[in-house]
Amino acid sequence: MPQGIFKVFKTGLFFISCLLVQLVYAETALNQELKPKDIYMDTPPVFKDSVVIQNRAFIKSKKLLFSSYFSFDFSDGPYTMYSLNTDIGYATSETWEFYASIAPVFVSTQRAIVSEIQKAANNAGSSLTVTEAKPQFQYGITALWAPLYGKDTWNFSHIIRSDMFLKTFFGMVNYDSGTGFRTSLIAGKTFFAKNWNLRLGAGAGFVQNIVNSQQVLSTIALFETGVVFYY
């Protein structure tokens, strides 16, 4: 075979070999048997609507409750009130808690604006006195709804379980010169520990104060911090 024809034959054989390799590769790449499976289509129907629910810190349902907390009351009245509250209750379920609430200790401080107004009035030659009855005792009922449960991280190394709640209160306040009702709505979180559980909340409400011997309805802002025990 002449040398030129031999070179042409070798070149043609090389191109034919490359073409065959490409055809085989293409056939392999398009092999439908190697197509990934659809995990949603192949999942048994019984598992399609399933979700994972994280474990709770402990079971609260059907347990007795004891809660003690400080309440900071910032209202538009002439005095700021601080109270120590004690609640005894029962958890009817994982989301509902009910308490009987008492506040045997109150501390009242007069706002600076009250004394400034009285001083300005005296300097103007007029008589102005603002007096408010001091609270002595509070009692009422509390309902707490905790629909959300989750986890919080602490310093990226510890996980603290917690729930979010809404707490409503209605009760009566005994003053040194009468009585008045008080109601509030608090939103907050309970952080669960082994032996004690921290509870923080903030909200608003209404309270009947007695100012200059007259009942006055005031709007209040509330901040609460304390602990709760489950037995």
Side-chain angles (χ1 to χ4, degrees):
M1 179 182 292
Q3 188 69 21
I5 296 176
F6 179 74
K7 289 183 178 181
V8 173
F9 176 77
K10 288 176 61 177
T11 303
L13 183 60
F14 174 76
F15 282 110
I16 292 173
S17 300
C18 292
L19 180 61
L20 291 174
V21 171
Q22 291 180 352
L23 290 175
V24 172
Y25 176 78
E27 179 66 22
T28 303
L30 297 176
N31 188 348
Q32 296 299 321
E33 294 182 357
L34 301 178
K35 182 179 179 180
K37 294 183 178 180
D38 190 333
I39 60 174
Y40 297 101
M41 295 298 295
D42 297 333
T43 302
V46 68
F47 296 116
K48 284 188 176 180
D49 296 325
S50 300
V51 294
V52 177
I53 300 177
Q54 55 190 332
N55 294 330
R56 290 181 174 270
F58 53 86
I59 301 301
K60 299 188 297 181
S61 178
K62 312 302 181 184
K63 288 191 175 182
L64 296 176
L65 313 172
F66 176 79
S67 177
S68 181
Y69 56 94
F70 289 98
S71 177
F72 305 90
D73 168 3
F74 301 95
S75 68
D76 55 5
Y79 287 86
T80 299
M81 293 188 296
Y82 308 87
S83 63
L84 175 62
N85 301 265
T86 300
D87 294 358
I88 299 175
Y90 183 73
T92 58
S93 67
E94 293 300 310
T95 56
W96 283 100
E97 303 174 6
F98 298 92
Y99 297 86
S101 177
I102 59 172
V105 178
F106 276 90
V107 176
S108 299
T109 58
Q110 188 181 59
R111 289 189 173 88
I113 186 63
V114 177
S115 59
E116 292 296 327
I117 292 175
Q118 292 177 340
K119 185 183 299 183
N122 293 333
N123 293 336
S126 62
S127 175
L128 176 63
T129 303
V130 179
T131 59
E132 181 179 29
K134 293 184 178 180
Q136 297 180 330
F137 185 80
Q138 176 182 280
Y139 59 92
I141 56 175
T142 297
L144 185 146
W145 178 49
L148 301 178
Y149 181 83
K151 296 178 180 179
D152 296 271
T153 59
W154 182 260
N155 292 335
F156 301 101
S157 59
H158 296 82
I159 295 178
I160 302 176
R161 292 180 173 90
S162 64
D163 65 15
M164 297 185 65
F165 64 82
L166 287 176
K167 184 175 71 170
T168 182
F169 168 82
F170 183 83
M172 299 296 296
V173 182
N174 286 349
Y175 298 96
D176 55 5
S177 60
T179 61
F181 78 88
R182 177 174 175 175
T183 182
S184 63
L185 180 64
I186 301 292
K189 297 190 70 171
T190 302
F191 299 92
F192 298 104
K194 291 183 178 180
N195 299 320
W196 58 275
N197 311 286
L198 176 65
R199 181 168 284 176
L200 303 174
F206 300 96
V207 63
Q208 277 185 331
N209 296 318
I210 301 177
V211 180
N212 291 341
S213 301
Q214 300 291 326
Q215 281 193 337
V216 177
L217 184 64
S218 299
T219 303
I220 56 177
L222 290 169
F223 299 92
E224 297 181 354
T225 177
V227 295
V228 58
F229 300 89
Y230 296 85
Y231 299 98

